[in-house]
Amino acid sequence: DLFEGGLVLAVGRSGGAWPNVPLGSRVQNMADFVCEEFEAAYGIGETGAVLVRSDGYVGARFKSAPEDPEGGLHEALYGILSK
């Protein structure tokens, strides 16, 4: 299963700007897995991403890559891990 074993940052097919995830993994549509409907199913664009917990809960959704993807990811991780 794509979301087992920790946090997973699943990025759209043009999401190359997203960094790797501390304490988890990063997977990219059309590179690490193939799903034509991935972006539409998660409500993101081709540069967007979802940060998914191991229980399948979407902890953060980015419709497109922010100006600072690493900073956005760190803020999302802080929000998830501080609860």
Side-chain angles (χ1 to χ4, degrees):
D1 187 26
L2 192 59
F3 301 121
E4 289 182 0
L7 295 169
V8 175
L9 181 68
V11 303
R13 62 190 77 208
S14 298
W18 289 98
N20 289 325
V21 180
L23 309 172
S25 60
R26 176 190 178 279
V27 293
Q28 184 170 352
N29 190 18
M30 300 303 185
D32 300 306
F33 66 97
V34 176
C35 180
E36 290 293 333
E37 299 83 24
F38 170 75
E39 289 87 359
Y42 280 94
I44 64 171
E46 289 187 5
T47 65
V50 288
L51 184 59
V52 183
R53 299 183 334 197
S54 60
D55 61 2
Y57 177 81
V58 175
R61 181 184 328 272
F62 300 88
K63 291 186 182 237
S64 61
E67 189 172 308
D68 177 14
E70 186 171 359
L73 177 59
H74 285 174
E75 285 182 33
L77 286 168
Y78 179 79
I80 290 170
L81 298 174
S82 66
K83 293 183 179 182

